[in-house]
Amino acid sequence: MQQRKAVRALLVDESGAVLLMQVVEPVTRKAVWIAPGGGVDDGESALMTLRRELLEELGYSLAVEHEPVAVWTRHHEFTWAGTAIDQHETYFLIRCVQFVPERCVEGVPGAMFDCDHRWWTPDDIEHSADTFAPRSLGTALRTLIENRPPPSPIDVGV
């Protein structure tokens, strides 16, 4: 099983909506909405990875002076394109103004994104028949928006 560390960005706008991307597993074709982000490369810090992934996936430049806050962790095992992965994720809260992503990863070898992006409110998530990761995303996002970020990251489950 491949071990993987990853970071994810909770880009939350002034209304409390979060920007999510839809990934489609290439074998099963199962679609899941996730926060943008990805795997930490050797020699990269979490913040370096976050900046790189946001630029690659959304064309979004995280301001140098912006210090994202780690709010959640998540551990899950899954299979992607026939490879078993044991992934440990850290989610970072980034308050922003709603924007339209400038780019997708179309044409990038091994890309896993359909280039479908959407701003979701906690209500939208909780009332949708779509699949989200983590499964508790709507409730966890609502708690995060209504309260201050936790003093240390909390586990949001699978």
Side-chain angles (χ1 to χ4, degrees):
M1 184 171 287
Q2 179 183 339
Q3 300 291 314
R4 186 172 189 242
K5 287 186 180 179
V7 295
R8 300 240 169 258
L10 294 169
L11 292 158
V12 177
D13 74 6
E14 57 280 356
S15 74
V18 64
L19 181 63
L20 300 178
M21 301 175 65
Q22 188 177 58
V23 295
V24 178
E25 202 285 329
V27 175
T28 66
R29 303 304 299 159
K30 181 179 178 182
V32 180
W33 288 96
I34 64 170
V40 177
D41 290 340
D42 289 339
E44 273 188 329
S45 68
L47 185 55
M48 288 169 62
T49 301
L50 198 62
R51 289 181 192 285
R52 176 179 52 77
E53 290 288 339
L54 289 173
L55 195 56
E56 288 175 2
E57 293 177 356
L58 308 173
Y60 183 82
S61 290
L62 188 60
V64 174
E65 67 277 359
H66 197 104
E67 189 64 37
V69 178
V71 292
W72 299 341
T73 59
R74 178 174 179 248
H75 172 237
H76 64 114
E77 296 176 358
F78 61 100
T79 301
W80 188 267
T83 301
I85 300 171
D86 180 15
Q87 183 158 288
H88 294 265
E89 298 174 335
T90 302
Y91 286 74
F92 290 87
L93 174 62
I94 301 169
R95 299 281 184 175
C96 65
V97 173
Q98 193 171 112
F99 64 95
V100 175
E102 292 178 7
R103 67 174 81 163
C104 301
V105 290
E106 278 181 38
V108 174
M112 63 173 128
F113 304 107
D114 274 14
C115 295
D116 196 2
H117 304 91
R118 180 175 161 193
W119 290 91
W120 293 81
T121 66
D123 281 344
D124 293 338
I125 294 167
E126 290 169 350
H127 293 100
S128 175
D130 289 356
T131 302
F132 298 86
R135 292 182 192 131
S136 65
L137 183 60
T139 304
L141 181 62
R142 181 181 310 288
T143 300
L144 183 62
I145 292 166
E146 291 175 356
N147 300 296
R148 294 181 186 268
S152 59
I154 60 170
D155 182 358
V156 289
V158 176

